[in-house]
Amino acid sequence: LVLQLSLSTSLLSPPKTPFSLLLHLHLLLWFGFCRARFSFDPAEKMAAPKPEEISHPAMDQLQGLEYCIDSNPSWGESIALGFQHYILALGTAVMIPSFLVPLMGGDHGDKVRVVQTLLFVEGINTLIQTLFGTRLPTVIGGSYAFMVPIMSIIHDPALTRIEDDHLRFLSTMRAVQGALIVSSSIQIILGYSQLWAICSRFFSPLGMVPVISLVGFGLFDRGFPVVCRHLRLGLLMLITFSLKKVILMFLFILSRSISQVGRCVEIGVPMLILFVTFSQLLTASGAYKHRPDLTQVNCRTDRAYLISAAPWIKIPYPLQWGAPTFDAGHCFGMMAAVIVSLIESTGGYKAASRLASATPPPAHVLSRGIGWQGIGILLSGMFGTMSGCTVSAENVGLLGSTRVGSRRVIQIAAGFMIFFSILGKFGALFASIPFPIFAALYCVLFGLVASVGLSFLQFTNMNSMRNLFIVGVALFLGLSIPEYFREYTSKAFHGPSHTKAGWFNDFLNTIFFSSPTVALIVGVFLDNTLDYKDSARDRGMPWWAKFRSFQGDSRNEEFYTLPFNLNRFFPPS
């Protein structure tokens, strides 16, 4: 009824712009789909449900995927999917430098170089992680967790008093590099010493549900609030991506070729075409040219000044900004961001294993991946990327959206990152996509990652009041505490922790800005203290136990064995 009223209301006013016409078509398609799908005959009598129809058996591996972690699509399809992952990774790679570089005193040329460097290091870290780390199909991208300590470094009085903008930019960059280099030792030590593997023995399916879910839910402020910066463009992308199945049905009616059109839509027509072509055509046609600057920034590709400022060819190299500088206070504050990155990546790896139809990574594999991620943060500090690294939640969600969890696809995406970071002009062409388009995709993909975390509840007993209490409290506090810290900071221009010890403030503010970190502190603590001895079965530990060691399940060798027969030199512990 609501859809019918919306459709009739929209048809009373004829479309006046291309946006209105597309919205009319979406409403018409959606209304026809619902009429066909949900039509109900009152004469039909519902048969009594059978017991097996009421509940669903718990499954170790997610079903319904077309390609799992070690199965590969054709080369053409793999390249298209890999390019799609590359396009999606551009969102974070452009947003972080676009916000930080102007505050440091950098110009558009400096911003382009930082974006190129960040993409280059992302490609290297992604290749390392898929070959020698966890071997899961995960893109290792920039992390928003490092924003708090980096902002503290930017506002350091010793740096703000530098009058020359370019010199202040270089000095700030070197200070950030030094802090990243020192703090990367946290993940390197925890990973390669297997200390994180020992810590993971306290994790249960119940305790991981809030952590994995808030890897997606915790980024809600990157979703619809950014879409609303240009509602027409962002909403069009959101509707198109959400209703691509309905669009597929419409194309099937027109073409009668479900095999070709179906795969085309699944592997990237909405993203490859609408991302690149539509945004560039809007700019070329002069759309919104006379609107306010804020509107142009969020809908035109030329207002980012990436294409004009990018060099044709530029190869990033270590220490390109000069020798790093080291300050104890900066390093301690950055260590908190490294810990947050570690926790968020733990949730990201477990979500990726589910969406790649693999078993949960054993403790040894998880710790190995964290060690290599520490190496990635070290590389970020050496090259100067203005951010550490973590698992890209949006790319994890894209695994589920395309139903392709192949490792090869992610490795091809890493190749695109390295290639286009060297060819600056061509990379800037794609990197200039307006942020509302990325945010529209985040609305879907972050939600998908969060639902994967909720799927771990199938291994627990949710008829237990203990479990309901733990999951509810961890989820609520994981959202509420970081939101308080964000609101306080936006009003007072500093975090709730505001003492004379700057490193202490950075440490606490960074920890409690992260939803997954708060959820892990609350959820794992409660899960291991409230009647934990008598509730192993309710927590899901019998199912979890066989995946805690490499030899616990025969499928682990298929999914997580190192390539080139390297397991002879680095045997699973």
Side-chain angles (χ1 to χ4, degrees), residues 67 72-88 263-264 266-269 271-272 398 402 404 406-417 419-420 430:
Y67 297 96
N72 300 314
S74 64
W75 279 105
E77 192 172 333
S78 296
I79 292 173
L81 286 164
F83 185 73
Q84 194 172 191
H85 277 276
Y86 157 72
I87 289 291
L88 190 61
R263 288 307 305 152
C264 184
E266 281 299 314
I267 68 173
V269 165
M271 299 179 72
L272 294 176
L398 191 58
T402 59
V404 176
S406 172
R407 186 187 295 122
R408 174 194 286 177
V409 169
I410 302 301
Q411 292 169 342
I412 291 174
F416 277 120
M417 294 177 197
F419 179 75
F420 284 113
F430 304 114

Side-chain angles (χ1 to χ4, degrees), residues 261-422:
V261 177
R263 288 307 305 152
C264 184
V265 171
E266 281 299 314
I267 68 173
V269 165
M271 299 179 72
L272 294 176
I273 301 301
L274 287 177
F275 265 21
V276 182
T277 308
F278 186 64
S279 56
Q280 295 293 344
L281 284 178
L282 275 179
T283 303
S285 63
Y288 301 103
K289 188 175 182 180
H290 303 291
R291 296 295 181 89
D293 289 341
L294 185 60
T295 301
Q296 294 188 42
V297 167
N298 288 296
C299 66
R300 292 179 59 88
T301 59
D302 57 350
R303 299 296 293 176
Y305 300 104
L306 294 177
I307 300 176
S308 59
W312 282 102
I313 297 177
K314 180 71 175 180
I315 301 177
Y317 55 91
L319 306 181
Q320 59 186 340
W321 310 105
T325 58
F326 301 93
D327 181 271
H330 297 165
C331 295
F332 277 111
M334 195 69 73
M335 286 179 183
V338 172
I339 295 173
V340 169
S341 167
L342 181 151
I343 294 172
E344 292 178 350
S345 293
T346 299
Y349 289 133
K350 293 186 181 297
S353 66
R354 190 92 180 134
L355 290 173
S357 194
T359 55
H364 163 76
V365 173
L366 183 62
S367 194
R368 183 178 71 195
I370 293 300
W372 279 110
Q373 188 171 298
I375 297 294
I377 297 176
L378 177 62
L379 291 176
S380 298
M382 295 292 292
F383 279 83
T385 63
M386 284 306 296
S387 175
C389 59
T390 189
V391 173
S392 173
E394 54 266 33
N395 288 92
V396 172
L398 191 58
L399 298 177
S401 177
T402 59
R403 294 182 293 170
V404 176
S406 172
R407 186 187 295 122
R408 174 194 286 177
V409 169
I410 302 301
Q411 292 169 342
I412 291 174
F416 277 120
M417 294 177 197
I418 296 173
F419 179 75
F420 284 113
S421 65
I422 295 174

Side-chain angles (χ1 to χ4, degrees), residues 351-552:
S353 66
R354 190 92 180 134
L355 290 173
S357 194
T359 55
H364 163 76
V365 173
L366 183 62
S367 194
R368 183 178 71 195
I370 293 300
W372 279 110
Q373 188 171 298
I375 297 294
I377 297 176
L378 177 62
L379 291 176
S380 298
M382 295 292 292
F383 279 83
T385 63
M386 284 306 296
S387 175
C389 59
T390 189
V391 173
S392 173
E394 54 266 33
N395 288 92
V396 172
L398 191 58
L399 298 177
S401 177
T402 59
R403 294 182 293 170
V404 176
S406 172
R407 186 187 295 122
R408 174 194 286 177
V409 169
I410 302 301
Q411 292 169 342
I412 291 174
F416 277 120
M417 294 177 197
I418 296 173
F419 179 75
F420 284 113
S421 65
I422 295 174
L423 298 179
K425 290 288 186 184
F426 295 100
L429 180 69
F430 304 114
S432 300
I433 298 171
F435 291 153
I437 293 182
F438 288 111
L441 296 173
Y442 294 165
C443 291
V444 178
L445 300 178
F446 289 158
L448 185 56
V449 173
S451 65
V452 171
L454 296 177
S455 72
F456 279 84
L457 290 174
Q458 65 182 308
F459 308 112
T460 67
N461 177 19
M462 292 312 292
N463 290 317
S464 166
M465 285 302 300
R466 172 192 180 275
N467 289 1
L468 291 173
F469 173 78
I470 292 173
V471 172
V473 171
L475 283 173
F476 183 83
L477 291 181
L479 289 170
S480 183
I481 292 177
E483 181 63 18
Y484 164 73
F485 272 70
R486 279 190 287 266
E487 287 187 1
Y488 189 100
T489 303
S490 65
K491 294 177 181 178
F493 300 104
H494 59 76
S497 177
H498 188 59
T499 65
K500 294 182 179 180
W503 65 269
F504 180 78
N505 301 334
D506 294 342
F507 196 94
L508 281 186
N509 292 331
T510 302
I511 290 292
F512 290 105
F513 255 90
S514 169
S515 292
T517 304
V518 174
L520 182 126
I521 294 172
V522 176
V524 173
F525 174 77
L526 293 177
D527 190 36
N528 286 276
T529 53
L530 296 179
D531 301 328
Y532 71 98
K533 291 184 178 180
D534 301 326
S535 56
R537 184 178 178 184
D538 291 346
R539 300 166 61 202
M541 293 307 293
W543 171 81
W544 195 265
K546 61 181 178 180
F547 301 116
R548 294 170 72 174
S549 65
F550 194 84
Q551 293 81 10

Side-chain angles (χ1 to χ4, degrees), residues 65-126:
L65 297 176
E66 298 192 13
Y67 297 96
C68 66
I69 183 173
D70 55 356
S71 60
N72 300 314
S74 64
W75 279 105
E77 192 172 333
S78 296
I79 292 173
L81 286 164
F83 185 73
Q84 194 172 191
H85 277 276
Y86 157 72
I87 289 291
L88 190 61
L90 285 173
T92 301
V94 176
M95 285 182 188
I96 293 177
S98 296
F99 178 76
L100 293 176
V101 171
L103 297 177
M104 299 162 58
D107 55 18
H108 297 303
D110 296 325
K111 180 175 69 174
V112 169
R113 286 188 63 189
V114 174
V115 171
Q116 286 182 276
T117 305
L118 181 54
L119 275 175
F120 185 80
V121 175
E122 279 186 16
I124 294 175
N125 289 338
T126 301

Side-chain angles (χ1 to χ4, degrees), residues 22-156:
L22 288 171
L23 288 174
H24 277 64
L25 288 175
H26 277 305
L27 279 172
L28 184 61
L29 287 171
W30 185 238
F31 176 67
F33 172 76
C34 291
R35 286 292 300 270
R37 176 67 179 85
F38 300 110
S39 58
F40 177 73
D41 185 2
E44 293 182 359
K45 294 183 178 179
M46 297 296 292
K50 300 178 182 179
E52 59 270 16
E53 294 175 347
I54 299 176
S55 61
H56 303 275
M59 293 185 177
D60 297 342
Q61 295 172 265
L62 193 64
Q63 304 300 308
L65 297 176
E66 298 192 13
Y67 297 96
C68 66
I69 183 173
D70 55 356
S71 60
N72 300 314
S74 64
W75 279 105
E77 192 172 333
S78 296
I79 292 173
L81 286 164
F83 185 73
Q84 194 172 191
H85 277 276
Y86 157 72
I87 289 291
L88 190 61
L90 285 173
T92 301
V94 176
M95 285 182 188
I96 293 177
S98 296
F99 178 76
L100 293 176
V101 171
L103 297 177
M104 299 162 58
D107 55 18
H108 297 303
D110 296 325
K111 180 175 69 174
V112 169
R113 286 188 63 189
V114 174
V115 171
Q116 286 182 276
T117 305
L118 181 54
L119 275 175
F120 185 80
V121 175
E122 279 186 16
I124 294 175
N125 289 338
T126 301
L127 280 178
I128 290 175
Q129 194 63 237
T130 54
L131 286 172
F132 309 114
T134 59
R135 306 217 67 210
L136 288 166
T138 51
V139 171
I140 307 299
S143 172
Y144 293 102
F146 293 82
M147 297 281 280
V148 175
I150 291 177
M151 287 292 294
S152 178
I153 295 174
I154 291 174
H155 292 100
D156 190 322

